[in-house]
Amino acid sequence: KVVRELEEQINKYIGSTYCSCVSNGTASLHLALVALGIGPGDEVIVPSLSFVATANVVEIVGATCVFVDVHPRYFNIDESQIEKVITKKTKAIIPVHEFGLCANMTKIVEIAKKYNLFIIEDAACALGATYENKYAGTFGDFGSFSLHPRKAITSGEGGLLVTSSFEYDKIVKTIRNHGIEPNSNPMNFTMAGFNYRLTEIQAALVKSQLSRIDSIIETKANIAFRYLSEIKNSSYLLPLIPKNAKHTWQTFHILIDNGKARERLIEYLKKHGIFTNYGAQCIPAMNYYQNKYKSDYINDYSSSYNAYTCGLAIPLYETLTTNQVNKIISVLNKF
């Protein structure tokens, strides 16, 4: 009951038609690929900068990852390079709304229609983000969200998958629950499915937070605005935001001059009680993907590799106090 109520609230919030609560964000991406029938012999276009789960699900279903570099400052897939890698085997594009900023979905949708490709939006970090006043996750065939503890709202571990297709929704709701046809009594096992359900307790946790998600996003946006306007150290490149996009600021990702300087900065901040993290991986540079695809990731995906080796996520979350933000800005400016 609570899961169904949460699904209805998500639909109302972002304007989607159908929503399925699942056990985690990776599961939602996996379910989308299975529902679309993507598997061995198919190619899926994936940005080369993301958390590796985006590419892992493609590998899990037996398809082939085709990587595309990202914008050097937006960190989303560079839509101008997508058409160059499309082949007869290409079946889908998985644009990632990296760090909470929507990719250029207008252009991506245009490309997908031109080549008859599916779109699965990896909106793990972007619940509440918009592009040209339309919510992330509602442009493609599927939109996938994460409820991991680092996200704006969380169930401890969980995910959401939205779609405008009744048929896709029915398949997803069947596969997520051991292949049991929804609302069948007695249970009718019509597919070989997974145990990808979100629990009622987890759904209740999310419901209690969803009512204030806009306030959470606004609080984080105010902190991000202070960072953008008050961090003056020329050692950093700060993120850019297109005028037609609303950022949810899952992560405030800065670029440092080089990798050695980044490591010095991490230690410097740690001495002042400020802890940081790397932003995302250059997936083709990870051991599994390098061993399989053997790409020249430093040159072929230079923006992704630079973001991976020189990028840093500085603290940005709802409960940061004014004094803490003041300290972070001051310490960063003095580095």
Side-chain angles (χ1 to χ4, degrees):
K1 180 177 182 294
V2 182
V3 167
R4 288 197 301 270
E5 291 174 350
L6 175 58
E7 289 170 348
E8 291 171 0
Q9 288 183 352
I10 292 294
N11 286 333
K12 184 177 180 180
Y13 177 62
I14 66 171
S16 53
T17 309
Y18 303 103
C19 175
S20 297
C21 294
V22 294
S23 55
N24 56 68
T26 305
S28 64
L29 288 171
H30 185 201
L31 285 170
L33 288 165
V34 173
L36 294 172
I38 294 173
D42 297 332
E43 294 178 351
V44 179
I45 295 172
V46 179
S48 50
L49 180 76
S50 180
F51 184 61
V52 292
T54 309
N56 284 350
V57 291
V58 177
E59 297 291 317
I60 287 169
V61 299
T64 299
C65 289
V66 177
F67 294 107
V68 171
D69 205 3
V70 299
H71 287 282
R73 299 288 294 282
Y74 296 145
F75 307 115
N76 287 324
I77 190 167
D78 185 348
E79 68 279 358
S80 69
Q81 298 188 37
I82 292 175
E83 289 191 83
K84 299 175 185 177
V85 301
I86 294 174
T87 71
K88 292 180 179 180
K89 295 181 179 180
T90 308
K91 290 294 188 295
I93 306 171
I94 305 182
V96 179
H97 305 315
E98 196 63 54
F99 304 138
L101 177 66
C102 239
N104 184 346
M105 291 309 301
T106 300
K107 183 61 178 177
I108 292 170
V109 168
E110 178 185 312
I111 294 170
K113 287 181 178 178
K114 180 179 178 180
Y115 293 94
N116 196 27
L117 305 177
F118 297 117
I119 296 176
I120 303 170
E121 294 175 68
D122 185 343
C125 300
L127 184 59
T130 63
Y131 187 80
E132 295 183 348
N133 297 314
K134 185 176 171 68
Y135 278 98
T138 63
F139 290 86
D141 298 278
F142 282 105
S144 168
F145 300 92
S146 172
L147 299 171
H148 181 272
R150 287 191 64 235
K151 304 306 185 283
I153 58 175
T154 179
S155 56
E157 187 65 270
L160 305 164
L161 186 63
V162 301
T163 182
S164 60
S165 166
F166 170 79
E167 290 302 322
Y168 292 158
D169 179 63
K170 184 178 179 181
I171 294 171
V172 167
K173 284 184 168 62
T174 300
I175 303 174
R176 75 173 175 181
N177 188 24
H178 302 287
I180 303 171
E181 185 179 9
N183 304 317
S184 61
N185 187 18
M187 290 184 291
N188 185 18
F189 293 85
T190 59
M191 303 180 74
F194 311 103
N195 182 3
Y196 278 174
R197 296 167 299 181
L198 191 73
T199 68
E200 294 281 283
I201 293 173
Q202 290 172 307
L205 285 172
V206 180
K207 276 190 65 182
S208 67
Q209 299 165 74
L210 186 58
S211 61
R212 60 186 185 87
I213 186 172
D214 287 331
S215 173
I216 294 171
I217 293 171
E218 182 180 2
T219 298
K220 296 176 75 175
N222 289 336
I223 296 170
F225 177 77
R226 287 204 58 199
Y227 285 162
L228 289 169
S229 58
E230 297 179 36
I231 295 176
K232 303 295 186 181
N233 193 322
S234 60
S235 296
Y236 321 128
L237 280 177
L238 304 183
L240 294 179
I241 312 99
K243 292 181 179 179
N244 55 353
K246 174 188 173 184
H247 204 313
T248 59
W249 295 109
Q250 159 66 25
T251 300
F252 193 96
H253 189 257
I254 64 175
L255 293 176
I256 321 301
D257 289 339
N258 56 69
K260 290 183 179 179
R262 180 180 68 174
E263 298 310 308
R264 291 199 304 271
L265 176 60
I266 290 171
E267 291 304 314
Y268 169 77
L269 293 171
K270 191 182 296 185
K271 289 178 182 178
H272 288 82
I274 300 169
F275 291 81
T276 56
N277 203 351
Y278 300 148
Q281 290 83 41
C282 176
I283 301 175
M286 302 300 97
N287 285 347
Y288 169 83
Y289 292 94
Q290 177 58 15
N291 290 336
K292 180 175 181 179
Y293 294 103
K294 304 186 187 307
S295 64
D296 180 8
Y297 53 83
I298 295 177
N299 294 306
D300 291 346
Y301 313 109
S302 56
S303 294
S304 297
Y305 188 70
N306 185 59
Y308 171 58
T309 54
C310 300
L312 194 64
I314 65 175
L316 178 54
Y317 48 91
E318 182 193 11
T319 56
L320 270 179
T321 67
T322 300
N323 286 339
Q324 288 173 324
V325 173
N326 290 342
K327 178 180 178 179
I328 291 166
I329 293 170
S330 176
V331 172
L332 281 168
N333 281 334
K334 291 176 181 176
F335 175 66

